[in-house]
C-alpha cells in the first residue's frame, strides 16, 4: 500500500466487491484487514481506526501477520510493486499457516519477481491476470469454493 494511489485503491476495491458478491463467493466472505480498500495516503489512519493502536511498523506487522494466522485463504490484488505484500506471502508460505493464495494480477503490473512465481509446489497458488475485475469472477468463485471446503475439513 505504501506505493499505491487512489486509482490502485479503486482497482483493488473492484476486486474486493467481486470477492464479496454472493454470486461469486457462494456464501459469506469476510475480507481482512479493512472493510474497504486503502492506499498509501489512508492505510495508516485506517490501521489506527481499526485497531485503536498508534501506527508503527512493528504494530502494523504484528497485526497483519496475526490476521494471516486467523485466515482461511489469501487474496493478493497486485496493482503496484509491494515489498509488504511479498513479505506477507513469504510469511504465509514459509513461516505461517500456508493458506491457499489467489493472485489477482493487474495487467499493468505483472509479477516479474522469480521468487513469487510458481508457488504451487509450496501452497495452493493461483495466478490470474486481469484488466477489469469481472474477468476474475469464474476463477475467484472456484478458489473461494475450494477454500471454503478446505476450511471445513481443517
Amino acid at each position: 500500500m505504501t506505493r499505491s494511489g487512489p486509482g490502485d485503491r479503486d482497482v483493488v476495491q473492484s476486486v474486493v466487491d467481486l470477492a464479496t458478491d454472493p454470486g461469486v463467493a457462494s456464501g459469506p466472505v469476510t475480507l481482512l484487514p479493512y472493510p474497504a480498500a486503502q492506499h498509501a495516503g489512508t492505510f495508516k489512519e485506517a490501521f489506527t481506526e481499526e485497531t485503536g493502536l498508534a501506527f508503527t511498523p512493528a504494530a502494523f506487522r504484528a497485526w497483519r501477520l496475526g490476521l494471516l494466522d486467523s485466515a482461511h485463504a489469501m487474496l493478493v490484488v497486485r496493482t503496484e510493486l509491494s515489498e509488504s505484500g511479498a513479505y506477507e506471502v513469504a510469511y504465509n508460505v514459509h513461516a505461517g499457516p500456508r493458506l491457499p493464495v489467489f493472485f489477482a494480477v493487474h495487467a499493468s503490473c505483472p509479477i516479474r519477481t522469480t521468487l513469487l512465481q510458481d508457488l504451487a509446489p509450496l501452497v495452493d497458488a493461483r495466478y490470474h491476470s486481469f484488466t477489469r475485475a469481472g474477468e476474475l469472477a469464474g476463477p475467484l468463485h472456484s478458489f473461494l469454493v475450494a477454500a471454503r471446503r478446505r476450511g471445513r475439513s481443517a
Side-chain angles (χ1 to χ4, degrees):
M1 287 183 276
T2 55
R3 294 183 180 176
S4 63
D8 297 306
R9 178 202 52 219
D10 295 345
V11 171
V12 172
Q13 187 63 51
S14 68
V15 176
V16 166
D17 292 343
L18 185 67
T20 57
D21 179 298
V24 172
S26 296
V29 170
T30 302
L31 292 176
L32 305 171
Y34 309 107
Q38 302 297 317
H39 65 82
T42 63
F43 82 94
K44 291 178 182 180
E45 182 179 315
F47 165 80
T48 297
E49 287 176 13
E50 188 73 22
T51 65
L53 301 171
F55 180 88
T56 66
F60 185 67
R61 182 174 40 255
W63 180 63
R64 295 285 294 221
L65 297 183
L67 291 174
L68 280 174
D69 288 338
S70 68
H72 294 95
M74 189 173 187
L75 171 61
V76 176
V77 184
R78 182 180 169 90
T79 61
E80 278 288 332
L81 298 176
S82 173
E83 290 93 349
S84 294
Y87 180 89
E88 290 171 334
V89 169
Y91 171 80
N92 174 53
V93 172
H94 296 292
R98 292 190 184 224
L99 304 171
V101 184
F102 187 97
F103 287 93
V105 182
H106 195 269
S108 67
C109 193
I111 296 175
R112 292 192 171 101
T113 305
T114 305
L115 294 175
L116 289 178
Q117 296 173 353
D118 194 24
L119 290 174
L122 303 170
V123 295
D124 175 3
R126 304 175 192 195
Y127 300 82
H128 296 278
S129 180
F130 73 103
T131 54
R132 292 181 1 271
E135 299 166 6
L136 300 170
L140 190 53
H141 168 80
S142 297
F143 175 79
L144 292 171
V145 168
R148 185 170 283 115
R149 259 190 252 122
R150 185 179 299 107
R152 285 189 200 126
S153 66

